[in-house]
Amino acid sequence: DAVRLRLDLIIDRVLSILKDRYILVAVGTDFSNVLLKLVLQVRQYWLELQPGQWKQLLFLYLKIYFEQLLDPVIVSRILQELISGSILQGRLYPRKLFSFFNKVFESIRELNSSVIESMLISLNLFCLHVAPSCRVQLCHFGESLRNSFIYLWSHSNHEKIREELILFLHLLLRAHHPCGVSDQTEGAYAYNWEHWKVCFIICRSLWFETAEVVNCSLNFHLIGPI
């Protein structure tokens, strides 16, 4: 049997390191790797993490990402696991996470493909979970970052990145036009219709271009609800 770790000791130690800037720079990468590989990627430990610990870890790594004190690839992978775990074991914080992802994708040209992939996966996990209760915020988010997503599609040849981007654009279509409705009186919504018209044209063209990637019907009127 695998050696069972003292999770309480590990989490306490990691949290103390994350809160101390000097120690974080010195050993933060090593302890973050331990957290990622030996804790967050072992599902049995998810049950032992308390909601407050999920929150502390999530908020600290959101902050650390922009401070650039640790390898962004490791931080982005940890955030992916933390968001996934928070959906099941803790809770998410839509306002904070929408703000975080907005800043991330505004600077998309500065990121490498590994970070972009993890961020897109995290974004899709988050948006799929909060979409039913945060439809307005999701629509606004997608419309405001339309240029970033256009750039990402045009300049990335990574299959996984394109697949995740298609999934996100599909979610935007469902949020704006549940069940394919096109009229506001029937339930269609956009934060800014002029911005969404641009997004919609792009979504339609990409959808037709990549039908095999998403493996779904191209009939706009078959788009399901969120």
Side-chain angles (χ1 to χ4, degrees):
D1 293 340
V3 176
R4 183 170 179 78
L5 303 176
R6 282 289 305 275
L7 185 63
D8 55 339
L9 296 180
I10 293 176
I11 297 301
D12 287 346
R13 184 57 174 160
V14 169
L15 288 173
S16 67
I17 290 171
L18 296 179
K19 295 174 183 177
D20 188 312
R21 187 182 182 90
Y22 177 78
I23 300 178
L24 177 64
V25 173
V27 298
T29 297
D30 293 333
F31 276 84
S32 292
N33 272 316
V34 169
L35 177 67
L36 176 63
K37 297 177 181 179
L38 300 183
V39 176
L40 295 178
Q41 292 183 347
V42 180
R43 293 301 182 258
Q44 71 183 79
Y45 290 137
W46 283 21
L47 299 175
E48 299 180 30
L49 277 169
Q50 300 301 312
Q53 293 173 319
W54 284 107
K55 179 181 179 180
Q56 287 188 75
L57 289 169
L58 178 61
F59 280 25
L60 285 168
Y61 275 103
L62 290 175
K63 180 173 177 285
I64 289 169
Y65 176 84
F66 289 118
E67 292 178 340
Q68 299 181 341
L69 298 176
L70 300 178
D71 182 352
V73 175
I74 295 175
V75 175
S76 63
R77 290 183 61 196
I78 288 175
L79 285 171
Q80 180 182 328
E81 295 292 340
L82 287 173
I83 289 174
S84 181
S86 294
I87 289 172
L88 297 177
Q89 301 296 331
R91 57 168 293 194
L92 293 177
Y93 301 84
R95 180 178 297 181
K96 192 173 189 69
L97 284 170
F98 272 124
S99 176
F100 170 78
F101 284 119
N102 188 75
K103 293 178 182 177
V104 169
F105 286 98
E106 278 182 343
S107 59
I108 197 69
R109 302 185 185 204
E110 304 170 10
L111 306 181
N112 66 41
S113 58
S114 295
V115 175
I116 292 173
E117 180 180 325
S118 290
M119 285 300 174
L120 277 173
I121 293 172
S122 298
L123 176 65
N124 281 331
L125 288 170
F126 164 65
C127 288
L128 282 168
H129 184 71
V130 303
S133 59
C134 299
R135 183 188 179 197
V136 172
Q137 295 95 319
L138 174 58
C139 290
H140 186 202
F141 173 82
E143 293 165 24
S144 64
L145 289 172
R146 62 195 181 282
N147 291 332
S148 295
F149 294 123
I150 293 171
Y151 174 87
L152 184 56
W153 180 267
S154 302
H155 292 80
S156 177
N157 294 319
H158 288 76
E159 182 178 347
K160 182 61 176 176
I161 289 177
R162 288 195 160 206
E163 181 180 336
E164 291 296 329
L165 185 56
I166 285 292
L167 290 175
F168 176 71
L169 294 176
H170 182 213
L171 178 59
L172 280 186
L173 283 171
R174 293 164 60 195
H176 284 81
H177 303 280
C179 297
V181 298
S182 58
D183 192 275
Q184 289 177 265
T185 60
E186 298 176 330
Y189 173 82
Y191 190 86
N192 182 309
W193 280 103
E194 292 303 315
H195 291 170
W196 174 240
K197 286 177 183 178
V198 176
C199 296
F200 178 74
I201 293 172
I202 296 167
C203 288
R204 286 293 297 268
S205 63
L206 294 185
W207 200 337
F208 278 96
E209 180 183 340
T210 59
E212 294 182 0
V213 174
V214 295
N215 192 29
C216 60
S217 171
L218 295 177
N219 188 337
F220 177 61
H221 294 285
L222 294 182
I223 297 174
I226 294 175

